[in-house]
Amino acid sequence: MADLKVVIVQCGNEEYALPVDAVVSIERLEQVNPIPHLPDYMLGLMRIRGELVPILDFEQILYGRSAKEEPDARVVVVQTAKLFIGLLVLDAKEIIDIPENTLTDSSLMAYSRTPYFKTVANLENRMVTVVDPEVLSQTLTGIDEIGAYVEAQAAK
């Protein structure tokens, strides 16, 4: 395994990393169309470059509070096997290369409530948790229904 190229995002006071090869774009939070009866973390759908993208409040998922009123909040659009999802974060800061030798053994991240935490990078002046968007999309309640809804809307 070579160095890992990632986009650094902020939620709470922590930094998280999303693999660059999964990131499609970084956007400002625009008009989100809410969908009734969804989990709290699901803000609704936003049209991004002609596509309907479900917006998940990553701050809400991790810390139980919303980032939607934060002025610097960004939507990081990631591609998963089933659909594009937008992760609302407090800030999308930078793109960095994480050296392979700074990554901890992923078995340390086996906590059942956060299976999408892939590994932790122990960098010189900070620690960054690497998030697997694919696992995140597979473990969130209601994501299959959201995917089906997006497909139905796109077919209209």
Side-chain angles (χ1 to χ4, degrees), residues 51-155:
E51 298 288 326
L52 285 178
V53 178
I55 305 300
L56 311 181
D57 193 334
F58 202 42
E59 182 83 2
Q60 181 77 39
I61 292 168
L62 295 174
Y63 299 106
R65 59 183 182 255
S66 180
K68 67 183 173 189
E69 302 301 327
E70 295 295 325
D72 293 330
R74 294 289 179 266
V75 175
V76 180
V77 180
V78 295
Q79 183 170 13
T80 68
K82 292 184 179 177
L83 73 163
F84 292 103
I85 55 175
L87 297 176
L88 182 63
V89 297
L90 291 179
D91 197 6
K93 299 174 146 201
E94 60 190 319
I95 297 174
I96 66 169
D97 289 311
I98 297 177
E100 180 184 7
N101 64 353
T102 65
L103 299 173
T104 61
D105 180 5
S106 59
S107 65
L108 296 174
M109 305 309 295
Y111 180 55
S112 64
R113 301 240 354 226
T114 54
Y116 42 84
F117 289 169
K118 193 160 117 178
T119 185
V120 173
N122 189 5
L123 304 174
E124 191 173 309
N125 55 355
R126 65 198 211 200
M127 287 180 60
V128 180
T129 303
V130 179
V131 175
D132 185 331
E134 192 66 46
V135 175
L136 177 66
S137 73
Q138 294 168 2
T139 57
L140 293 175
T141 305
I143 203 76
D144 289 337
E145 292 84 353
I146 292 161
Y149 182 86
V150 169
E151 280 183 31
Q153 295 301 310

